[in-house]
Amino acid sequence: MDVTTRAALGHLREAGRARRRARRRDAATAGYALAILAAFLVVPRLPMVAGDTGWGAAVDLPGLTTAPAVALPALGAALLLLAVRDAAWRGPVGVDQATACWALPQPLDRRRLLLPRLVAAGLRAALVGALLGAAAGLVLGALPEATAGAVAAAAAGAWAGGTLGLGCVVVGVAVERHDRVVLRAGRRLFRVTWAVVVALTVPAVCALFVELPAWAGQLMLVSGPWGWGVQPLVAVTGGSAPLWIPAVLAQTAALAVAGVWCAREVGRIPGEALRRRARVAESVAASVFSLDLRGAGRAIRAAHPGGG
């Protein structure tokens, strides 16, 4: 098994060298375009957002003090649900169609094939989440109730976004690993999760216009991992999060345990789940590039008819 795995992975590395170079060029081009947009559109506005005369001074909503403590956990729960929906047809751990057709049926150690893809997905999600969270921290740090500077707000936002990105990868791996369960009971599972997200979203919307009691925010912040990670951000924006240090420790421990579980279970993702996702992802990409959004929707729905 070890010899066969080394030979197969070596062949895949050699065969995919040109494709990896092309992918790196595409990523460099996209990164360059984003850097240019950020340099001309975002960076000139950062002093205004981070300064004392930023946009936050003009914001006047009745529930602005308690809104972050209620709205941020609801947003995190919604993003985790979207990650579950995404994993139902694509997933964080995937292979291209050629690899799915040739490598998966071979007698090789599937964990060694998929673990690098899991690590890359986790790093991408953590980086993107940290960047978006840092930007959100700068914006929220300009509110009149904010008690910390721009650097502390950006750091708290980066922690919240990075941990949320890793959490999205964890739930995605869980969906892929238990693909047969999701196929069989997907519609009922998604109904329950949507009900939970709606139950969290309603008070989050109300908190923008009505001053909710303090216990409502505290309940949302401890309601689950979606609330633990945002507690430092709530604390620096003037909200009440007295347990943010234990929450950070709990979030770190939970992510560590989940990471070990993902690394152990990634090799047990069913081959049929990976092959179906490779086919659907290629079909969706072709439909999107040809502006056939209806065809992309049909491909996604056909992949998981039990998911609604």
Side-chain angles (χ1 to χ4, degrees):
M1 176 69 72
D2 187 62
V3 173
T4 307
T5 300
R6 284 203 305 270
L9 295 181
H11 176 73
L12 285 174
R13 283 193 295 269
E14 185 65 29
R17 185 172 298 171
R19 181 171 181 171
R20 286 195 300 273
R21 283 200 298 267
R23 196 159 50 218
R24 283 195 293 267
R25 285 197 298 267
D26 293 342
T29 303
Y32 175 74
L34 290 176
I36 291 296
L37 288 175
F40 284 97
L41 297 180
V42 179
V43 174
R45 289 167 172 78
L46 289 181
M48 180 193 71
V49 173
D52 295 333
T53 59
W55 68 276
V59 177
D60 185 18
L61 291 175
L64 196 59
T65 303
T66 58
V70 180
L72 291 177
L75 177 61
L79 291 176
L80 287 174
L81 175 58
L82 292 178
V84 171
R85 299 287 301 193
D86 179 77
W89 68 271
R90 183 176 56 176
V93 180
V95 295
D96 57 88
Q97 196 162 356
T99 303
C101 294
W102 180 82
L104 293 182
Q106 303 296 327
L108 52 82
D109 185 359
R110 191 175 294 174
R111 181 176 178 274
R112 290 176 58 182
L113 173 68
L114 298 178
L115 187 58
R117 290 168 168 80
L118 171 63
V119 174
L123 291 176
R124 283 196 303 269
L127 178 60
V128 173
L131 291 176
L132 295 178
L138 282 176
V139 173
L140 294 175
L143 293 173
E145 290 80 5
T147 57
V151 175
W159 167 260
T163 55
L164 181 61
L166 291 175
C168 291
V169 173
V170 170
V171 297
V173 172
V175 170
E176 287 187 282
R177 172 65 181 88
H178 301 286
D179 181 69
R180 295 184 182 91
V181 176
V182 178
L183 276 174
R184 187 169 59 250
R187 192 177 297 275
R188 293 191 296 272
L189 292 174
F190 285 125
R191 282 175 181 171
V192 173
T193 52
W194 275 119
V196 172
V197 171
V198 169
L200 295 174
T201 304
V202 170
V205 175
C206 295
L208 295 175
F209 306 100
V210 180
E211 186 74 30
L212 296 181
W215 60 263
Q218 299 302 312
L219 182 62
M220 295 285 283
L221 290 175
V222 299
S223 59
W226 47 81
W228 302 345
V230 301
Q231 289 201 29
L233 184 56
V234 172
V236 300
T237 55
S240 176
L243 300 177
W244 71 269
I245 295 180
V248 167
L249 297 177
Q251 186 84 334
T252 304
L255 287 176
V257 173
V260 172
W261 178 85
C262 289
R264 187 186 65 189
E265 295 293 322
V266 68
R268 301 176 185 175
I269 296 176
E272 174 54 33
L274 293 170
R275 283 189 288 271
R276 184 174 64 254
R277 281 164 172 77
R279 291 194 302 269
V280 174
E282 189 169 298
S283 176
V284 170
S287 299
V288 169
F289 281 120
S290 61
L291 300 181
D292 182 15
L293 301 184
R294 184 175 298 176
R298 283 197 302 267
I300 293 173
R301 287 191 296 271
H304 259 273

